[in-house]
Amino acid sequence: GSGVEISKPPFIAGADALGLVVKVGPGVKNLSEGDWVCPFKTGMGTFRSLAVWREKDLLKMPVDLMPLEYAAMMREMCVAYRLLEDHGNLKPGDSVILNAANS
């Protein structure tokens, strides 16, 4: 197989996103309200306005480097990160080129 997981209906589509933490539950240690996050794994169903996810499934983004106006630009970096994590198989010495001009 290709390693790509295909969901069967019904499901919520979407695999990449940039989100704002609006509330944290008990036991959450590294995320706070107001933190920016992107999904750390596939199949999280990001085509929605609200979601409840586990802390371990999110990648915290640096808030001081990302004002609201630039949130859309950061999305491309999250997509690139996800693609590299899921399908990259990078080894020391490999290079990556991110070409967002055609997306």
Side-chain angles (χ1 to χ4, degrees):
S2 65
V4 176
E5 186 176 316
I6 299 179
S7 298
K8 292 183 176 30
F11 67 93
I12 299 173
D16 60 286
L18 184 67
L20 180 67
V21 176
V22 295
K23 192 152 182 91
V24 295
V28 174
K29 296 182 177 135
N30 299 309
L31 293 176
S32 303
E33 292 178 16
D35 285 345
W36 288 97
V37 294
C38 65
F40 196 63
K41 66 177 203 166
T42 59
M44 291 182 65
T46 59
F47 291 0
R48 59 173 116 188
S49 57
L50 290 173
V52 177
W53 288 325
R54 295 179 296 206
E55 180 179 22
K56 71 178 187 120
D57 295 334
L58 299 168
L59 177 64
K60 182 176 175 179
M61 304 302 292
V63 177
D64 59 329
L65 301 177
M66 196 175 67
L68 185 58
E69 299 85 22
Y70 298 117
M73 289 174 41
M74 290 300 292
R75 180 191 162 276
E76 297 305 324
M77 293 173 72
C78 291
V79 171
Y81 179 84
R82 293 295 325 278
L83 289 171
L84 290 171
E85 279 292 311
D86 295 345
H87 308 289
N89 300 319
L90 294 176
K91 297 170 200 63
D94 288 350
S95 298
V96 175
I97 298 173
L98 173 59
N99 178 4
N102 59 359
S103 61

